[in-house]
Amino acid sequence: MEFKRHLVTAALPYANGPVHIGHLAGCYLPADIYVRYQRAQKRDVKFICGSDEHGVPITIRAMREGVTPQDVVDKYNTIIKDSFDGMGISFDIYSRTSNPTHKETSQAFFKKLYDDGAFEERESEQYYDAEKDVFLADRYIVGTCPVCANPNAYGDQCEKCGSTLSPEQLINPRSALSNSPLVKKPTTHWYFPLNKYEDFLKEWIVVGKKDEWKSNVYGQCKSWLDSGLQPRAMTRDSSWGVPVPLPGANGKVLYVWFDAPIGYISATKELTNQWADYWCQENTKLVHFIGKDNIVFHCIIFPAMLKAHGGFVLPENVPANEFLNIEGEKVSTSRNWAVWVDEYLKDFPDQQDALRYVLCANAPESKDNDFTWKDFQDRVNNELSAVLGNFENRAFVLMHKLCKGRVPALHADAMNEMDNALIADIKDAKTKVENAIEGYKFREGLAEVIDLARKGNKYLQDNAPWTLAKTPELQEQNQKRIDICMHLCLQLTANLAILLNPFLPYTATKMCKKMKVVPRMLDWENAGRIDLLKVNYPLLAPELLFRKIEDEEVTAQVEKLRENLKKATQQIVENKPTTVSEAETPLAVAKETITFDDFAKIDLRVGTILKAEKVEKADKLLKLEVDMGTEVRTIVSGIALHFAPEEIIGKQVSVVANLAPRKMRGIESNGMILMAQNADGKLIFVSPLQTADNGSEVK
RNA sequence: GGCGAGGUAGCUCAGUUGGUUAGAGCACAGGAUUCAUAACCCUGAGGUCGGGAGUUCAAAUCUCCUCCUCGCUACCA
């Protein structure tokens, strides 16, 4: 299909923290390159983004910092927006989901689905904080992690050990708001029956996008579809978010993953009255740039929502990137292991393109990649500066030395094979870069541009105009060759500016200024031409496009990372909220004081492990037979990652004997083995130092 | 445990429907050169394509098994 319009979105960043370079490499930079290219092609394109400002983590941060959720999102919206501006991410609009337009749009969307009977209304028991009179989202529930004993795990996840949890699994669950114990109360929510859209999604993705979408995206979607979709609640009990537009739905808001993607639509509405052309006309090419963590929402849920609503185009492609690690380790906001964009811009003023270059050249397009400062330095110094910057500089310097600072003529009568080969290379480069960008292979596209500069260097070397200039007796005929050589080098430079423009716009603009040409020269149709600079046209003096990155800068940045990590870790230990992290869990915080009677309720006994075996289909579980003196009990313990079954047989251990039984993997567990856990996560049995009788009481 | 994506030179990655001595850039070594940001240009060394088995005249590429990394998911006192 011939597309008349292009609608490009980049994932809405979540407004509870700044953006780091992993975000840039993941979707914003590729999206920007793609959009800048489309603009240079003079295609009708809109580039949409904005802050995602709803959801529970924001309210938690607000609570912790003693400010309102609006304060939180205002703060980070500004930081994020400035970071994007600073890096030249050229959104047509950067909106936010707390805007009135978004409220209207997402409510209308919900209402339409509701009126069409697209939702299923369901009542369920939800945790409720009686003191504060609110239902609690999983995130609002804290308790001790059953896996790592972190006392401040959330109801959906333990941030210390990374386990996925449900509130039921927490030990001593309580409300994060009031610290009071939880009660369960019925509440009504609207569920979107994703299962009803399975056939449509399978046809559309599994059949239709097989060879079109990236393998990581396609595979992920197929996996979801094969395992079957479930209805998903599209509303939540909360005061922060878009209110559910139904009578009697007080205290209910749209689920953040329902409203966030609609944010793309609302932002487009804010941008232009013609928004419907972009969202509803068949011949629009919609492309979502995201990170791999967003695949299911953009490929499954949102398309199903759009389909249910009707009248919207579906994404043509969803080129999701993988993750970018830093210095060999995963990015962690809570440990402050990240390179923040706002800080980069301060530490490396005017070096946007250096970072854009490295992040694109090393983008995690097909698998997780690693960003190291050493690699940053190497790539900037040895590729960007040495090959591209140096060629451009050579062309300018030589032109001033040998051609009086003016574009020399292209003498047709003296042209040779080398010249024609270079001209062919220039034309080829256009096609190559074009194909790469259209195929979302930005790394390859950028490499093609550098490669063209490399060919320029070789061409210069082979022609060596500086040598030709050294033989005055042959001046006349030599000057012709010099002219041709420099003419082509300068035309090549102009071509480089065009090809480079989507990737490194700051550099392309600088080059235009030095060549004294208008920005219109950067139009894509001009690529491949060798008449971009007029003969006899005077150009400005040489000036370096890139500077080298010094060793000290690299060391300083690595040092900074380690310092940040150290500080963040200390803060976690001291249980002080850090400024950059979202949810901190101290390693070991003293629990509240209990009375002797409380303690006396626990029946602690000594027992000996008689048998131990792995539980089928569970990584962490061991099934133990423990001799308690009067009886042998079955206890299931989550220690399989730490101990082999055979090595613990015969060990004497302390057991909580009166813990309510619980079934795990179909096996009833009658008690709990006490373990000590080091800061590094290693488990140690809490055992009597000398052998005690089985069944003896521990007090 | 299930599913998905990866595992190719020291590093970052290409390798189309199985077909000649497996490619590129960076780093490294040697050479040449001086117009240029000690840059560029030439040459070279460097890989049993994660491991094993199989299909085939022929496997990095197809099949099966296995190990490692990342992600999703289940289980998780």
Side-chain angles (χ1 to χ4, degrees), chain A residues 377-443:
Chain A
Q377 181 190 30
D378 283 348
R379 285 185 186 273
V380 171
N381 292 357
N382 303 330
E383 295 171 19
L384 189 58
S385 305
V387 178
L388 195 138
N390 187 40
F391 171 74
E392 191 263 8
N393 191 237
R394 295 172 88 180
F396 264 74
V397 169
L398 285 169
M399 183 265 305
H400 275 88
K401 285 191 179 167
L402 308 178
C403 306
K404 302 176 181 141
R406 286 168 185 273
V407 179
L410 185 69
H411 309 282
D413 56 323
M415 284 178 67
N416 63 25
E417 287 300 301
M418 282 192 285
D419 306 326
N420 291 328
L422 187 75
I423 292 169
D425 284 337
I426 293 175
K427 291 199 195 311
D428 277 356
K430 182 196 182 200
T431 319
K432 285 179 178 166
V433 175
E434 206 167 285
N435 290 341
I437 296 181
E438 303 247 13
Y440 311 102
K441 292 176 183 168
F442 305 104
R443 210 167 45 193

Side-chain angles (χ1 to χ4, degrees), chain A residues 205-443:
Chain A
I205 298 175
V206 179
V207 179
K209 302 296 185 183
K210 193 168 192 317
D211 301 314
E212 229 179 296
W213 285 10
K214 289 169 66 169
S215 58
N216 57 340
V217 179
Y218 181 84
Q220 188 69 221
C221 292
K222 192 164 179 303
S223 167
W224 272 78
L225 290 168
D226 286 348
S227 59
L229 302 177
Q230 299 299 318
R232 205 170 169 120
M234 289 295 152
T235 55
R236 290 286 187 276
D237 290 296
S238 173
S239 56
W240 179 246
V242 176
V244 173
L246 299 174
N250 290 341
K252 295 188 194 296
V253 298
L254 303 183
Y255 174 42
V256 65
W257 267 111
F258 182 85
D259 95 70
I262 298 175
Y264 296 138
I265 303 173
S266 344
T268 317
K269 274 190 185 174
E270 278 178 61
L271 175 66
T272 166
N273 290 332
Q274 268 79 56
W275 70 272
D277 289 347
Y278 292 89
W279 278 98
C280 309
Q281 297 276 1
E282 281 280 308
N283 48 9
T284 295
K285 181 175 184 179
L286 171 62
V287 180
H288 294 306
F289 284 85
I290 56 171
K292 68 170 160 182
D293 49 335
N294 274 340
I295 289 174
V296 63
F297 296 104
H298 286 79
C299 300
I300 307 272
I301 301 181
F302 190 44
M305 284 164 55
L306 292 172
K307 175 77 178 169
H309 186 286
F312 285 111
V313 295
L314 298 172
E316 193 62 29
N317 209 324
V318 186
N321 271 357
E322 302 279 305
F323 289 150
L324 187 70
N325 294 333
I326 306 291
E327 300 283 348
E329 285 188 55
K330 274 193 275 186
V331 170
S332 162
T333 54
S334 58
R335 291 164 67 228
N336 202 358
W337 189 258
V339 177
W340 302 103
V341 176
D342 53 329
E343 293 187 18
Y344 173 86
L345 288 166
K346 276 180 218 144
D347 293 349
F348 294 91
D350 210 27
Q351 295 295 307
Q352 300 94 333
D353 278 353
L355 185 59
R356 286 178 69 114
Y357 177 78
V358 175
L359 291 182
C360 179
N362 189 27
E365 284 178 5
S366 54
K367 63 173 186 191
D368 289 359
N369 265 356
D370 198 26
F371 175 93
T372 67
W373 282 105
K374 178 76 177 74
D375 183 60
F376 172 79
Q377 181 190 30
D378 283 348
R379 285 185 186 273
V380 171
N381 292 357
N382 303 330
E383 295 171 19
L384 189 58
S385 305
V387 178
L388 195 138
N390 187 40
F391 171 74
E392 191 263 8
N393 191 237
R394 295 172 88 180
F396 264 74
V397 169
L398 285 169
M399 183 265 305
H400 275 88
K401 285 191 179 167
L402 308 178
C403 306
K404 302 176 181 141
R406 286 168 185 273
V407 179
L410 185 69
H411 309 282
D413 56 323
M415 284 178 67
N416 63 25
E417 287 300 301
M418 282 192 285
D419 306 326
N420 291 328
L422 187 75
I423 292 169
D425 284 337
I426 293 175
K427 291 199 195 311
D428 277 356
K430 182 196 182 200
T431 319
K432 285 179 178 166
V433 175
E434 206 167 285
N435 290 341
I437 296 181
E438 303 247 13
Y440 311 102
K441 292 176 183 168
F442 305 104
R443 210 167 45 193

Side-chain angles (χ1 to χ4, degrees), chain A residues 650-666:
Chain A
K651 260 203 193 319
Q652 204 159 45
V653 293
S654 309
V655 177
V656 181
N658 63 337
L659 197 67
R662 175 159 166 166
K663 264 198 173 180
M664 277 174 286
R665 274 276 153 202

